Amino acid sequence: MKRSRGLRVVLALSLAAGVGALALPKATAITDPVAFTADDLPTWQTNGIVWATAHANGVVFAGGTFSTARPPEGESGSSRQALNFVALDAASGAPTDCELSFTVSSGTATVRALAVSPDQRTLYAGGYFGRVNDQPVSSLAAIDIDSCTPKSGFNAAFPATVRALAVTEDTVYAGGDFGQVNGQTRERFAAVNAEDGSLLPFRSDADEPGRAVEITPDGKNVLLGGDFFEVNGADSHALAVVDAESGDLTKKYPLGFIEDVSVVKDIDVDDTGFYTANEGWGGFDGRIALDLSDFNQRWRDTCLGATQAVKSHKGVLYSASHAHDCGSVGEFPDGKRYHFLAQPTTEVGKLGWVPDTNDGIGERIGPRTLTVAEKDGVEYLWSGGEFTTVNGSPAQGLTRFASTGDTGRPTTPVASAESIEPGEIQVRWRTSFDLDDHRLTYRVYRDGASTPVGTVDAESLPWERPQASFTDTGLTPGSTHSYRVTATDGAGNVSAHSATVTATTAVSQDPYASAVVADGAELYWRYDDTVRPYVADTSAGDTSGLQTGDPTQQVTPGALASSSKAFSFDGSDDMVYSDRRTRVGDSYTLETWFKTTSRSGGKLIGLGNNTTELSYRYDKHLYMDRSGRVILGAYDGDTRTVQSGRGYNDGQWHHVVGTQGPGGMTLYVDGERVARNGYSEHHDFAGYWHVGGDNLQGWSTSWWWPLSNRFAGQIDETAVYPSVLSASQVANHYELASHPGDTVTVVETDEDTYVNEAASGANYGSKTSVAVRGSSGYETYLRFTLPTAPEGTELTGAALAVKTNSASYAGSGDQVRVVPVTGDWSGSEVTYATKPELAQDPVGELTPPTGPNTKASVQLDKAALSAALGGEYSLALTGEGTDSLWLWSSEASASEGTPKLILTFSPK
């Protein structure tokens, strides 16, 4: 089953006493097959750990080790005594009038297991306790749900902790630490009569504690989980299937099926299979799905991060854990902990449902239990545990999620824009994430318009947020355009707009970048980025990067003759890595430019199986030793390398290319082949591309081995190809780097001001805003010092860029004429009464933004600007309507919004 979306339902929350008023959630769409939003609902909290939950008739029962329950954080109301038990309304999260106290005369009382009878009339509670209210019991009690009282006729005596319960119409199955029940030998598992607690013949003796008990849907077998290595004297570690009447083994799982350092903490069952939650100490921590037809494995999820609970619901397996490394199943590497996950019951791959908690108190595990409850047509997923926060906000012990009411907005996209082909601008962005939607719809808005010019659907998860992109075509070469991007989830929740990004449409093809793209790069990082942590990919592969440490951005000059920028890496903790796992085929090419004087060496680019941590699988890399030699390395059981004959740590830009394919490995520096060998194999693993650092242990080629994993120096124009570039292609790239391409120059105003017809003698030269209006008149003047054209180029594009100020009335619906100023003026002196003369013909007409803090630009007549190059040039902004336009001036602190000319010079 693949990740997809599509359920629509309506939620109406009924509020119980003690919970403040909530707005009724709107009708929403949740991701199919996920059945719950990730938005946690206000829920009463405990002052300790919740170990068990169960549900009956719209009420959720929670048991654990705590003494009070209190209102949700920020809600009014008083705490109430709750000795290891509380009953709560499933829909409101507030306590019901059912109050039970579980106590013990010595030691610490605790409730560890809860189960409800099939007729929903009796609640069975297990743990370590000696009384329920005033009724003497022995670690197992039967509670009449209607009256909320312990049943005096139920007398089962367990002298040690009961950790798991499962109930049929006539039988209660228990697992735990005990060795006797009702004075007779029953080791770790037992069955008692559901009515009176009398011991039944069922016998499944185990050598270590039992932690999970579940009954197959046909009632014929019982599923046992725990720490044990033997059941009824036969080898069966952590998991066993036994006959429901006798306890005899139906299916055993010898040591090796589950590692000896791993145990089963929970079992859940549905119509087709059963599922285990496993915890290991350096062993198996994930989940196993097994078929009911033969009790054999369906799939195994080997994520690390002890799984405490599983719950199958409508084709999805929800799990509670602290998963921190799912690299073994092709997902996130070791790092951040995810405490809730969801996956189809048919496969391992995770779905886009990732609400989160912290580790909390106690053993710092996080969530411990999962229960699905229903009330008034709405389903709720409840969880209890050790956590003290949910989705970053305070919430201790208990939380819940509904089947509707999705109100969480996707995160804001991080965008960039670039043009390397005439008439086109590529807008690309790091995809957002949403806690319960992995497929989002992105809308691209140009020049402040309210109607998108492009719509893109893209998938992302918190640990995999690849780039998405849109190419805006049919643009005037030399024109400048601004873009913003939003993300929308299936419920219609819309993110904030991305920060505005601007690009000037290429007049001529970018010689170097176009060749890299045309030669098939599937990753191309140009390092022109100005935001963190995103690094944009210019290739069609949309393999964006993330910065760690703090690489210095916008370093000039870059490696190319065109106006490229570079990143500078400090050799300590700076690095860029890809946000998408990659498996490399038989052939590949690595290409980058570098500049350094370092004598420590370090990684330039390579594939590793981790992201922010050092990888333990790593090869297919270019790196430097401390003499400055460049080395290409691949691992085929041994380390295979080719290296340059001399060092390149001379403080100059150098071009390095490494290829490997059926013909072996080849290394090029500055367009020339410098080394080759015949080794064609490399380490087959899925990993992440790293630039500027990753593990180099074991890759010494001489006594000049690298002293550092990290590279200190500048890097530019990194590309990865799924093929071997030819010698002529490599030489061509090196040669094209010296071709200038378009040069875009931004010219700020020397001074600017406006005049006001209603105050004809006033000067506004020191104001942070300027204004335009026809009547009563405002007129704005801008003065620029224009550069001369770079040698061998001509002006091919000119645009005026402006930005409305923050006033609500800043935008305008009236067109604005851009007219050359022919008379003299001074920003500190000009008034409406002394305003300068203007030319007859405009050089452009601006369509202004209609809202505040919005950028806009207008193309200007190139001939008029060309004639003025190398001197001063003044422009006036005039209007004819009555709707004023207010723009930031050069006096404003927000320099990115001040008026400027954007000039494009192209080779003649």
Side-chain angles (χ1 to χ4, degrees):
M1 182 183 296
K2 300 301 182 185
R3 295 189 288 261
S4 60
R5 306 244 153 173
L7 172 66
R8 296 182 181 272
V9 282
V10 178
L11 169 66
L13 281 178
S14 60
L15 302 178
V19 176
L22 298 174
L24 293 178
K26 60 188 178 182
T28 59
I30 317 172
T31 303
D32 178 34
V34 170
F36 305 98
T37 79
D39 302 318
D40 56 296
L41 298 174
T43 307
W44 272 57
Q45 303 163 44
T46 64
N47 67 339
I49 300 170
V50 173
W51 295 101
T53 51
H55 164 253
N57 305 315
V59 175
V60 171
F61 308 104
T65 312
F66 51 86
S67 60
T68 62
R70 65 183 187 274
E73 193 77 19
E75 297 284 352
S76 61
S78 301
S79 298
R80 57 187 281 181
Q81 179 175 278
L83 296 181
N84 305 308
F85 177 87
V86 64
L88 304 115
D89 184 278
S92 72
T96 69
D97 57 5
C98 175
E99 297 186 47
L100 298 170
S101 297
F102 289 76
T103 59
V104 69
S105 58
S106 63
T108 302
T110 184
V111 175
R112 292 297 183 111
L114 295 170
V116 173
S117 62
D119 63 7
Q120 305 279 289
R121 299 179 63 181
T122 304
L123 171 69
Y124 295 89
Y128 180 71
F129 45 83
R131 284 184 174 275
V132 179
N133 293 352
D134 295 328
Q135 178 72 43
V137 294
S138 183
S139 294
L140 180 64
I143 311 298
D144 179 75
I145 291 176
D146 287 343
S147 63
C148 187
T149 57
K151 291 185 174 182
S152 58
F154 182 86
N155 296 298
F158 287 77
T161 303
V162 174
R163 298 182 180 276
L165 293 171
V167 186
T168 67
E169 292 179 355
D170 54 13
T171 304
V172 178
Y173 296 93
D177 301 348
F178 51 84
Q180 289 186 335
V181 177
N182 295 354
Q184 298 185 49
T185 299
R186 291 292 189 274
E187 296 183 355
R188 282 79 185 199
F189 294 100
V192 298
N193 183 279
E195 186 64 28
D196 60 14
S198 58
L199 187 64
L200 296 176
F202 174 92
R203 190 148 188 180
S204 292
D205 291 342
D207 60 333
E208 296 289 345
R211 298 182 181 273
V213 180
E214 192 57 76
I215 303 160
T216 57
D218 61 10
K220 295 180 179 180
N221 291 283
V222 180
L223 311 168
L224 309 179
D227 301 10
F228 52 83
F229 290 84
E230 294 182 358
V231 176
N232 290 339
D235 292 341
S236 192
H237 174 52
L239 184 65
V241 183
V242 299
D243 182 83
E245 185 173 349
S246 67
D248 294 341
L249 273 165
T250 301
K251 174 78 173 182
K252 59 184 179 179
Y253 299 88
L255 185 64
F257 183 76
I258 295 175
E259 296 178 58
D260 60 353
V261 292
S262 297
V263 301
V264 170
K265 299 297 291 288
D266 188 30
I267 298 174
D268 195 43
V269 66
D270 59 26
D271 290 340
T272 66
F274 65 102
Y275 311 89
T276 68
N278 291 71
E279 177 181 80
W281 294 267
F284 175 50
D285 265 353
R287 293 155 292 282
I288 305 174
L290 304 101
D291 290 319
L292 288 173
S293 58
D294 56 10
F295 306 118
N296 288 329
Q297 179 176 301
R298 179 188 302 165
W299 52 256
R300 179 179 297 234
D301 185 334
T302 54
C303 289
L304 297 178
T307 307
Q308 302 298 308
V310 286
K311 185 63 183 177
S312 173
H313 184 68
K314 296 183 176 178
V316 174
L317 185 69
Y318 299 89
S319 58
S321 68
H322 57 267
H324 59 86
D325 185 352
C326 286
S328 62
V329 292
E331 295 170 328
F332 52 88
D334 197 10
K336 172 182 165 58
R337 292 186 170 198
Y338 295 90
H339 293 88
F340 292 117
L341 295 173
Q343 58 202 119
T345 56
T346 55
E347 63 179 83
V348 171
K350 307 303 183 296
L351 298 164
W353 184 83
V354 281
D356 205 14
T357 72
N358 64 353
D359 291 342
I361 60 177
E363 295 178 40
R364 299 183 60 81
I365 293 292
R368 291 275 191 177
T369 178
L370 294 169
T371 294
V372 173
E374 186 274 336
K375 186 173 182 181
D376 299 330
V378 178
E379 293 180 324
Y380 301 89
L381 178 64
W382 280 72
S383 181
E386 299 175 333
F387 50 83
T388 59
T389 68
V390 179
N391 289 339
S393 298
Q396 182 171 353
L398 287 165
T399 191
R400 62 200 172 96
F401 309 94
S403 58
T404 190
D406 181 7
T407 59
R409 298 197 300 173
T411 60
T412 304
V414 178
S416 71
E418 179 186 32
S419 179
I420 64 173
E421 297 289 342
E424 297 182 358
I425 293 178
Q426 182 193 46
V427 185
R428 57 273 174 105
W429 56 93
R430 187 185 184 206
T431 48
S432 305
F433 76 87
D434 186 275
L435 294 180
D436 45 27
D437 289 272
H438 70 268
R439 183 179 296 111
L440 302 174
T441 298
Y442 298 88
R443 292 178 173 85
V444 182
Y445 299 88
R446 182 209 298 151
D447 296 336
S450 59
T451 300
V453 293
T455 301
V456 175
D457 289 337
E459 294 191 359
S460 58
L461 292 165
W463 54 85
E464 186 176 290
R465 295 171 57 189
Q467 177 176 289
S469 58
F470 168 78
T471 301
D472 196 9
T473 59
L475 304 174
T476 301
S479 62
T480 299
H481 299 280
S482 61
Y483 298 88
R484 295 188 298 169
V485 182
T486 62
T488 305
D489 68 13
N493 299 305
V494 184
S495 74
H497 284 80
S498 71
T500 301
V501 294
T502 302
T504 299
T505 313
V507 174
S508 59
Q509 189 179 64
D510 184 302
Y512 184 90
S514 295
V516 170
V517 172
D519 285 341
E522 61 183 7
L523 177 155
Y524 183 18
W525 296 341
R526 306 201 68 191
Y527 307 109
D528 295 333
D529 310 273
T530 59
V531 297
R532 301 187 193 279
Y534 176 54
V535 176
D537 181 14
T538 299
S539 83
D542 279 334
T543 308
S544 54
L546 294 176
Q547 304 165 50
T548 64
D550 195 21
T552 302
Q553 301 174 331
Q554 298 285 290
V555 175
T556 57
L560 308 183
S562 59
S563 54
S564 71
K565 311 294 193 300
F567 276 11
S568 182
F569 296 78
D570 64 6
S572 175
D573 60 356
D574 292 351
M575 185 178 66
V576 176
Y577 66 89
S578 60
D579 198 19
R580 175 183 287 162
R581 285 169 62 92
T582 299
R583 188 175 293 275
V584 177
D586 293 337
S587 300
Y588 64 90
T589 296
L590 311 178
E591 178 179 37
T592 197
W593 288 78
F594 69 90
K595 177 181 178 182
T596 186
T597 58
S598 171
R599 295 187 179 275
S600 296
K603 181 102 66 168
L604 292 169
I605 177 174
L607 192 74
N609 72 317
N610 220 318
T611 52
T612 57
E613 305 284 339
L614 287 178
S615 301
Y616 57 86
R617 291 178 183 156
Y618 46 96
D619 79 331
K620 294 172 282 295
H621 52 186
L622 290 166
Y623 62 98
M624 295 186 74
D625 68 13
R626 56 196 173 111
S627 72
R629 288 182 298 182
V630 184
I631 303 158
L632 170 65
Y635 182 76
D636 64 359
D638 290 302
T639 56
R640 309 297 186 183
T641 62
V642 289
Q643 63 187 40
S644 65
R646 70 173 183 88
Y648 291 92
N649 52 350
D650 54 9
Q652 302 298 312
W653 279 109
H654 294 286
H655 178 235
V656 59
V657 176
T659 72
Q660 187 180 26
M665 303 167 66
T666 305
L667 179 67
Y668 302 86
V669 179
D670 294 338
E672 299 289 337
R673 189 180 73 197
V674 297
R676 66 184 302 178
N677 67 26
Y679 292 107
S680 61
E681 300 296 323
H682 56 78
H683 197 183
D684 182 18
F685 67 95
Y688 305 84
W689 291 111
H690 294 247
V691 169
D694 198 11
N695 210 338
L696 282 171
Q697 184 176 355
W699 283 90
S700 60
T701 57
S702 71
W703 70 279
W704 291 105
W705 65 87
L707 294 178
S708 174
N709 293 314
R710 307 279 184 164
F711 173 77
Q714 297 173 25
I715 295 179
D716 199 5
E717 306 295 321
T718 299
V720 177
Y721 305 79
S723 60
V724 172
L725 291 187
S726 67
S728 61
Q729 287 174 308
V730 172
N732 183 51
H733 288 194
Y734 179 67
E735 196 272 331
L736 288 174
S738 61
H739 292 209
D742 289 347
T743 299
V744 178
T745 301
V746 177
V747 183
E748 305 282 351
T749 58
D750 295 327
E751 59 177 337
D752 48 42
T753 189
Y754 76 102
V755 295
N756 181 358
E757 183 179 13
S760 63
N763 173 262
Y764 299 94
S766 61
K767 300 296 184 180
T768 59
S769 296
V770 291
V772 183
R773 185 171 61 195
S775 177
S776 62
Y778 295 140
E779 214 164 75
T780 285
Y781 308 114
L782 312 171
R783 190 191 313 279
F784 301 92
T785 298
L786 301 184
T788 58
E791 185 176 353
T793 71
E794 60 184 348
L795 184 70
T796 53
L800 172 67
V802 294
K803 184 179 181 180
T804 51
N805 70 17
S806 57
S808 60
Y809 51 80
S812 174
D814 296 334
Q815 293 293 104
V816 172
R817 299 168 71 244
V818 183
V819 186
V821 178
T822 57
D824 294 330
W825 64 279
S826 167
S828 61
E829 298 177 358
V830 67
T831 66
Y832 194 87
T834 63
K835 65 178 183 174
E837 292 187 8
L838 308 181
Q840 185 71 26
D841 297 321
V843 291
E845 188 168 287
L846 171 70
T847 300
T850 57
N853 276 325
T854 303
K855 292 181 179 180
S857 65
V858 55
Q859 292 304 301
L860 304 180
D861 182 85
K862 294 190 293 292
L865 271 291
S866 293
L869 290 176
E872 283 191 352
Y873 189 65
S874 292
L875 292 171
L877 305 182
T878 69
E880 295 181 355
T882 58
D883 190 3
S884 60
L885 173 68
W886 288 88
L887 306 171
W888 291 118
S889 77
S890 60
E891 302 290 332
S893 58
S895 60
E896 77 280 357
T898 60
K900 53 182 67 71
L901 288 176
I902 302 172
L903 308 178
T904 302
F905 298 95
S906 301
K908 292 182 178 179

